[in-house]
Every structure is written in structure tokens, then in C-alpha cells.
């Protein structure tokens, strides 16, 4: 097992290293930003209003509202990466890693828009009458040759593998470990309760998942962010210096406790980008699977709503975590018991405990991590089942739901060093076929995006108005026909 862990770690270092995924992710995001005219900046306000205030397109086809699709995708992304992942990036790469997480999010919003657009644009109706889409469909249907089908199958295989790692065992283990450490809850008991709760939700399908995440995700984010904002308010004098340190070390390089690892700027970039993607999943293609289920009157509208997921996840939640760690000084402190740097696993908890009175910091981080991790389990379960359906048909969905729930129990009760490294590898491998597809299909996305936004730049048009002004525009008739295409698998 030690050899396997080391091997997977070496493979992950290559995949997430400076010569493969980092330039591919940032390069793709930059290219799409240019082709789409900076859509993540120009249309952010309208997208936030549609996703968070309007919340749905009346009369549109789909399984769940746009808001529920957004919260399902956010459930899968707002997880341990927002707590432990941020601490790991800062511990190794220094405060500058937070800057590169921001840059990854800013460029990643264009990637998230593109993949969500394509998820809706090429979605189909499955044998159960539900909408199904994502890279496993748009790679094959958009790139109409053997290469597209090859990319689609690769994505599906990697996603199914990844969902049992980063979307299941690692999240369950984080929940169980924290509850045992904080409240002495036995690992097996946490595992059993989580497995049953997960199965109950999953049996209801995407509509059940959507209802749960629509209530859970906003509440958990608000709970966590309010705690962080209180700490930043009480340490307001340290906030400007924290921002200055973030920008300074982003281009000079510095790590915690005297620079023993992260003295190179490349370390800050590598860990900032890797943990940024771990947190918001932009470019991985996963959010497109949730987007495809949305009730939306045009792919542009859901693409813009889905884009806000990255903004909320990284620009808001990750920033809160990072700034709390930096302003409280915990990132550069030594554990008195060991004489070594404070472990990233407890760094965020220590920062919140320093900043909040009494036991509030401990409660906020523990409860936040439990809720974040559980919501991630639900979101990734949906990603996994959609790709199981793509590979072996609808008959595989219910067995997958049962197996996925049982694996939650397993993840809560064992050590997961190998699984963490395996998850890093699978996440990276997921992104590669998707990013290739985004580049190939970028012309289609840019053309059809311009055609829609020329008529409805503020995203205020009704279904009837959209049908009237989109008739004859690029891709409209094809999408309308595809909407009603059933795939009997």
C-alpha cells in the first residue's frame, strides 16, 4: 500500500505539475475569456440576479429549477477543499497561493460557463424521462467523430472512479474524523448514519437531491461566511496587511514557518491552482452534469447561472477561509508540542478558534466541514450515476446508488492515504478530455452566445420572447430538436 500511495502521488505530481494541467487549465480559461468577451465580468451581475433572485425560467423543460441545479453543483464543490484545501495551499505555497486561487477562479468562470452551456446544449432525455447531459454527451455529440466518442468514454470512466474517491470516501472520512475528535462519536456510527441518509436522498433521484441542496447549501454557506466575517471585522486592522502579503508573496514566493518548502513562486502557483480547482472544479466538467438537469429556456442562461458557482465558491468562501488564516497569523505559527508547522488539517479550526469567542470557532468549523462534506457526497453521487448511465444504461443507476451509499460507510471507518492520491489523479484525468473538448467547441459556444445576448443582454426575456427572437439564430432549431430526443439506455 505504501508503494501504491507513492506511485499515485508521483503520477498526481506530474498531472498537477507545471507542464500539464496547470497551463492547460489556465490557458483554456484565458482563451475562453477572450473568445467570450470577458463574459464572467460583463455578465456577472445579471447572472447572479437570475440564479439567486429569479431562480427559475417559467415554462422551461428540465427536471429541477436553475437555482436547484446551481445548489446541486455547489453542493459538490463547496466541501473540504474550502476548509482543508485552502489551509494546505497556504501552508505549503504561502499566502500567495490564495492569489493564484483567485486567478484560477476568475479564468475558470469562463470554463465553467462554457461547459455548463454545452451540458444544456447537447443534453438528451433518458429512458426515465429525465434530462441527462455533461461532457459524457457533449464531447460525443459536439465532436462528431471517433475522437469525440473516445473523449466522452474516457471522461465517464474517470468520473465514476473519481466519485468514489473525492466525492465519497474522502468526504465521509473527514466527517467521521471530525465528529470523533470533537464529540467522541464512533466512526462506525457516523458511517452508518451517513450511509442511510445518503441512500434515502439518492433513491429520490435528482429532484430529491435538488430539494435537499436548495435548503442545505445556502444555509451552510451563510453560517460559515458569517463566522469568518465576524473574525475579519474584529481583525479589520490586519486585513490590508493580509491582502498586501497575498499579492507580495504571489510573485516572490514564501511558505509558512520560514520558507522550508514554498520559497519558489512555482510552489505558490502550483498549489494555488491545484487547490483552486479542487475547490471550484472549473474545467473538470462535473458542473455541466448538474446544469443539464435545469429548467432553462436557453443554454446561455444556465451557463451564466452555473458560472456564479465558481464566484461564490472561491471568490467568497475560499477568500473568507484564506483571509481568516492569514489575519489571525495561524498560517505561520508553530505547534508547541511538536515544534513543527501547524498541520493544515487543523489550521482553519485553529484560526477560527483564535478569532471567535469561547468554543464558537470550533463549532463553526466542525459543523461547516460536516455540512460541506455531506453536500459534496450528494452532488458527486449524481455525477457518478449520470456517467454510469452513459456507460451501461439506466439499469445500472439503482445498483450504483446502493453501492455508493455503502462505500460512504467504508470511507468513514478506514485510513485513506491511498484514496486521497487516487482522487487527485482521477480529478486530473477527468479534466483533460473535458478541456480538450472545450477548446474544440469554443467556436460554437462563442457564436451561439453572441446570438442570444444580442437580444437579451440582461437575461430578462420570457420563454415566448426567446422563442420569437431566437428562431433562425445559430443552433436554436438543433437544440430544440435535441431537447426532445430520448436515449433509451
Amino acid at each position: 500500500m505504501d508503494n501504491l500511495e507513492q506511485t499515485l502521488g508521483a503520477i498526481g505530481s506530474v498531472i498537477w505539475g507545471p507542464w500539464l494541467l496547470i497551463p492547460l487549465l489556465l490557458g483554456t480559461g484565458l482563451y475562453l475569456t477572450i473568445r467570450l468577451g470577458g463574459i464572467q465580468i460583463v455578465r456577472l451581475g445579471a447572472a447572479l440576479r437570475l440564479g439567486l433572485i429569479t431562480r427559475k425560467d417559467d415554462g422551461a423543460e428540465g427536471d429541477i429549477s436553475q437555482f436547484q441545479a446551481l445548489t446541486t453543483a455547489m453542493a459538490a464543490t463547496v466541501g473540504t477543499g474550502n476548509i482543508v484545501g485552502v489551509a494546505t495551499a497556504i501552508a505549503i505555497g504561502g499566502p500567495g497561493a490564495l492569489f493564484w486561487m483567485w486567478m484560477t477562479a476568475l479564468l475558470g468562470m469562463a470554463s465553467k460557463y462554457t461547459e455548463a452551456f454545452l451540458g444544456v446544449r447537447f443534453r438528451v432525455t433518458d429512458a426515465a424521462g429525465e434530462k441527462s447531459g455533461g461532457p459524457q454527451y457533449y464531447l460525443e455529440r459536439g465532436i462528431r467523430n471517433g475522437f469525440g466518442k473516445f473523449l466522452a468514454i474516457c471522461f465517464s470512466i474517470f468520473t465514476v472512479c473519481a466519485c468514489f474517491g473525492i466525492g465519497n470516501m474522502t468526504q465521509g472520512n473527514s466527517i467521521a474524523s471530525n465528529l470523533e475528535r470533537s464529540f467522541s462519536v464512533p466512526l462506525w456510527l457516523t458511517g452508518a448514519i451517513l450511509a442511510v441518509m445518503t441512500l434515502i436522498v439518492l433513491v429520490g433521484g435528482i429532484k430529491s437531491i435538488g430539494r435537499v441542496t436548495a435548503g442545505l447549501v445556502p444555509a451552510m454557506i451563510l453560517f460559515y461566511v458569517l463566522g469568518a466575517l465576524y473574525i475579519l471585522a474584529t481583525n479589520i486592522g490586519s486585513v490590508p496587511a493580509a491582502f498586501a502579503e497575498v499579492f507580495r508573496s504571489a510573485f516572490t514566493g514564501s511558505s509558512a514557518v520560514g520558507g522550508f518548502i514554498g520559497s519558489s513562486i512555482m510552489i505558490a502557483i502550483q498549489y494555488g491552482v491545484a487547490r483552486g480547482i479542487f475547490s471550484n472544479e472549473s474545467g473538470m466538467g462535473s458542473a455541466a452534469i448538474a446544469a443539464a438537469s435545469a429548467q432553462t429556456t436557453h443554454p446561455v442562461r444556465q451557463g451564466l447561472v452555473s458560472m456564479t458557482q465558481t464566484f461564490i465558491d472561491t471568490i467568497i468562501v475560499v477568500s473568507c477561509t484564506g483571509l481568516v488564516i492569514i489575519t489571525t497569523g495561524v498560517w505561520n505559527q508553530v505547534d508547541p508540542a511538536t515544534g513543527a508547522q501547524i498541520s493544515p488539517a487543523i489550521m482553519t479550526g485553529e484560526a477560527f478558534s483564535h478569532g471567535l469567542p469561547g468554543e464558537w470557532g470550533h463549532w463553526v468549523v466542525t459543523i461547516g466541514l460536516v455540512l460541506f462534506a455531506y453536500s459534496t457526497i450528494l452532488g458527486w453521487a449524481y455525477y457518478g450515476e449520470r456517467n454510469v448511465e452513459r456507460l451501461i444504461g439506466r439499469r445500472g443507476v439503482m445498483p450504483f446508488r446502493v453501492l455508493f451509499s455503502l462505500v460512504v460507510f467504508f470511507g468513514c471507518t478506514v485510513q485513506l492515504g491511498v484514496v486521497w492520491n487516487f482522487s487527485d489523479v482521477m480529478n486530473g484525468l477527468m479534466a483533460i478530455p473535458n478541456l480538450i473538448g472545450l477548446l474544440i467547441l469554443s467556436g460554437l459556444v462563442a457564436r451561439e452566445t453572441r446570438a442570444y445576448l444580442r437580444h437579451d443582454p440582461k437575461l430578462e426575456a420570457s420563454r415566448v420572447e426567446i422563442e420569437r427572437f431566437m428562431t433562425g439564430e445559430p443552433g436554436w432549431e438543433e437544440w430544440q430538436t435535441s431537447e426532445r430526443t430520448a436515449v433509451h439506455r
Side-chain angles (χ1 to χ4, degrees):
M1 293 299 290
D2 288 341
N3 290 336
L4 178 60
E5 184 173 350
Q6 291 175 6
T7 300
L8 289 171
I11 296 172
S13 296
V14 173
I15 293 175
W16 289 100
W19 310 115
L20 184 55
L21 262 187
I22 288 179
L24 184 57
L25 284 162
L26 295 179
T28 300
L30 178 60
Y31 177 73
L32 293 172
T33 296
I34 295 170
R35 290 214 69 168
L36 295 169
I39 193 170
Q40 67 268 52
I41 299 172
V42 177
R43 306 295 174 190
L44 178 60
L48 287 169
R49 185 182 66 251
L50 177 59
L52 302 180
I53 299 176
T54 306
R55 294 193 174 193
K56 63 180 181 178
D57 282 352
D58 292 327
E61 292 190 25
D63 302 318
I64 56 177
S65 71
Q66 291 173 316
F67 178 72
Q68 289 175 328
L70 172 64
T71 56
T72 298
M74 286 182 62
T77 57
V78 180
T80 56
N82 296 78
I83 297 178
V84 180
V86 178
T88 301
I90 293 175
I92 299 178
L98 183 59
F99 172 86
W100 294 108
M101 294 181 84
W102 291 337
M103 291 302 99
T104 301
L106 182 62
L107 297 177
M109 288 173 71
S111 301
K112 185 66 66 73
Y113 167 81
T114 302
E115 60 196 18
F117 173 98
L118 291 170
V120 176
R121 173 68 171 76
F122 290 101
R123 70 186 182 182
V124 298
T125 304
D126 67 15
E130 296 179 348
K131 296 298 181 184
S132 189
Q136 72 274 27
Y137 286 100
Y138 66 64
L139 292 173
E140 180 177 1
R141 302 182 75 219
I143 307 170
R144 296 177 181 176
N145 53 44
F147 183 58
K149 185 173 183 178
F150 170 75
L151 292 176
I153 292 174
C154 286
F155 177 86
S156 287
I157 293 172
F158 296 145
T159 302
V160 172
C161 293
C163 80
F164 285 104
I166 200 62
N168 186 318
M169 287 189 284
T170 57
Q171 305 298 329
N173 193 266
S174 295
I175 293 173
S177 299
N178 272 272
L179 291 179
E180 183 188 44
R181 183 168 58 246
S182 300
F183 307 111
S184 301
V185 179
L187 297 177
W188 69 266
L189 181 58
T190 299
I193 294 172
L194 272 182
V196 172
M197 289 174 58
T198 300
L199 183 59
I200 290 173
V201 176
L202 296 188
V203 166
I206 183 57
K207 293 182 179 180
S208 175
I209 295 172
R211 286 193 298 269
V212 172
T213 59
L216 178 62
V217 170
M220 73 184 192
I221 290 177
L222 185 63
F223 173 74
Y224 183 79
V225 168
L226 286 177
L229 291 178
Y230 174 87
I231 296 173
L232 295 177
T234 57
N235 291 279
I236 192 66
S238 302
V239 172
F243 275 103
E245 181 63 21
V246 168
F247 286 101
R248 184 195 66 78
S249 60
F251 299 98
T252 60
S254 66
S255 70
V257 194
F260 71 102
I261 288 181
S263 57
S264 166
I265 181 177
M266 197 60 238
I267 296 294
I269 296 174
Q270 180 176 347
Y271 276 87
V273 173
R275 293 302 155 186
I277 295 300
F278 177 80
S279 174
N280 61 54
E281 298 179 10
S282 295
M284 286 175 57
S286 51
I289 303 171
S293 64
Q295 297 163 344
T296 185
T297 48
H298 195 277
V300 166
R301 296 171 71 88
Q302 185 56 42
L304 287 168
V305 170
S306 295
M307 179 187 77
T308 65
Q309 171 203 338
T310 298
F311 177 82
I312 296 169
D313 175 275
T314 303
I315 305 302
I316 296 179
V317 181
V318 163
S319 295
C320 285
T321 301
L323 290 173
V324 166
I325 290 173
I326 297 168
T327 56
T328 56
V330 171
W331 76 278
N332 206 24
Q333 288 183 0
V334 173
D335 186 340
T338 63
Q341 174 190 356
I342 294 176
S343 168
I346 63 171
M347 187 176 286
T348 304
E350 287 293 310
F352 272 76
S353 294
H354 274 63
L356 291 173
E359 294 294 315
W360 276 101
H362 171 76
W363 277 89
V364 167
V365 173
T366 299
I367 295 173
L369 193 146
V370 169
L371 295 177
F372 285 8
Y374 178 62
S375 69
T376 299
I377 290 172
L378 297 180
W380 271 91
Y382 182 67
Y383 297 163
E385 78 166 51
R386 292 290 91 178
N387 281 276
V388 166
E389 180 187 45
R390 167 64 181 81
L391 292 171
I392 65 175
R394 187 74 192 182
R395 66 185 182 276
V397 170
M398 189 54 70
F400 168 82
R401 291 171 177 171
V402 174
L403 176 62
F404 189 90
S405 301
L406 292 175
V407 172
V408 171
F409 175 83
F410 177 76
C412 289
T413 56
V414 298
Q415 295 298 314
L416 298 179
V418 171
V419 175
W420 276 103
N421 288 341
F422 173 78
S423 299
D424 278 343
V425 171
M426 289 299 110
N427 278 5
L429 292 177
M430 276 177 64
I432 293 172
N434 182 59
L435 291 169
I436 293 171
L438 298 188
L439 292 171
I440 294 174
L441 296 171
S442 61
L444 178 150
V445 177
R447 180 173 62 253
E448 297 186 12
T449 297
R450 286 194 299 268
Y452 181 86
L453 291 177
R454 186 167 59 246
H455 299 283
D456 186 24
K458 296 182 179 180
L459 308 180
E460 295 175 342
S462 67
R463 180 179 63 83
V464 174
E465 290 171 328
I466 292 170
E467 289 178 348
R468 184 178 68 249
F469 65 63
M470 286 305 297
T471 299
E473 292 284 7
W476 175 251
E477 280 73 22
E478 183 182 358
W479 180 58
Q480 290 290 285
T481 302
S482 174
E483 277 278 82
R484 295 164 179 83
T485 300
V487 176
H488 298 289
R489 283 197 173 103

